Amino acid sequence: MKRIFVSLSICFLLASCNKNEVIIGPPECLNDQITEFIKGACPYGNYVDKYKFQNEIVYVLTPGSCGADMQTLVINEECQQLGTLGGITGNTQINGVDFYANAQYIEGIWYG
């Protein structure tokens, strides 16, 4: 009886796997972006987060707060710059849309 239960459990687990599921990580170009980002970022409080914004995945590179004019870079999955947030002007918009009011946080990617 125990063998039947174990066999059925294994069959159930194998049958429940979705072979079409693809796990997509950060784009390769993001590593290069982070390397460049670190050069100009504050020595503390810098990080990279992943968001969904305007139906695409974007990455927000926050440099920390060691200066009032530090700007947060927003890039897409091809590592193309969409705009910057913050800075002296306190900009909150990307493509004419308030980023933080319309972006959905997904996960943290890197913390300095």
Side-chain angles (χ1 to χ4, degrees):
M1 183 68 166
K2 192 175 188 180
R3 284 185 180 179
I4 293 173
F5 177 73
V6 171
S7 297
L8 286 174
S9 296
I10 291 172
C11 289
F12 175 75
L13 288 173
L14 292 174
S16 66
C17 292
N18 184 353
K19 294 179 182 178
N20 294 327
E21 182 177 334
V22 177
I23 298 173
I24 300 172
E28 288 185 29
C29 63
L30 188 59
N31 287 329
D32 295 334
Q33 286 285 332
I34 290 173
T35 300
E36 287 300 311
F37 163 72
I38 292 169
K39 293 177 184 176
C42 299
Y44 53 86
N46 47 35
Y47 56 92
V48 177
D49 286 334
K50 181 179 181 179
Y51 285 84
K52 184 171 183 180
F53 178 68
Q54 294 183 327
N55 294 319
E56 70 176 318
I57 300 298
V58 299
Y59 297 91
V60 177
L61 291 77
T62 304
S65 58
C66 60
D69 60 344
M70 300 298 284
Q71 293 183 323
T72 297
L73 178 64
V74 179
I75 60 175
N76 63 16
E77 287 187 295
E78 288 81 36
C79 294
Q80 297 169 333
Q81 182 175 335
L82 300 178
T84 57
L85 301 168
I88 291 176
T89 62
N91 180 45
T92 61
Q93 294 191 351
I94 300 293
N95 297 330
V97 176
D98 187 292
F99 181 81
Y100 292 109
N102 293 285
Q104 178 185 4
Y105 175 81
I106 297 174
E107 65 182 332
I109 298 293
W110 178 87
Y111 296 95

